[in-house]
Amino acid sequence: MITLAKSIPFGVFLTILVCLFMGSGGSTGGVLNIFSFHVEFMDFDVKLYWSWAMFIAGTFLAFVILLMMGD
């Protein structure tokens, strides 16, 4: 269970990185269904891209790699 908690940040990083390049190019990624949303914090307005399918796949990939590394 700890390995799954450790793999979530890696899944988030992979999702943001891949969706940034694909989404900014205007692609929805087909099955990935990449969508954009705005985050407003104080005076900053940032456009981010996200895909739940990519997040699940990236988290699973990180989970498997961390399991293979062992303790």
Side-chain angles (χ1 to χ4, degrees), residues 35-60:
F35 59 92
S36 65
F37 60 95
H38 291 271
V39 176
E40 295 181 13
F41 180 71
M42 294 184 168
D43 292 333
F44 299 106
D45 185 26
V46 179
K47 186 175 184 181
L48 294 177
Y49 296 94
W50 188 258
S51 168
W52 285 108
M54 177 63 75
F55 171 70
I56 291 170
T59 302
F60 178 73

Side-chain angles (χ1 to χ4, degrees), residues 11-47:
V12 169
F13 177 72
L14 179 67
T15 302
I16 289 174
L17 186 67
V18 171
C19 290
L20 172 69
F21 288 108
M22 290 182 71
S24 64
S27 174
T28 61
V31 176
L32 294 178
N33 192 21
I34 297 172
F35 59 92
S36 65
F37 60 95
H38 291 271
V39 176
E40 295 181 13
F41 180 71
M42 294 184 168
D43 292 333
F44 299 106
D45 185 26
V46 179
K47 186 175 184 181

Side-chain angles (χ1 to χ4, degrees), residues 3 62-71:
T3 307
F63 177 74
V64 170
I65 290 172
L66 287 174
L67 275 180
M68 287 192 300
M69 289 174 58
D71 291 330

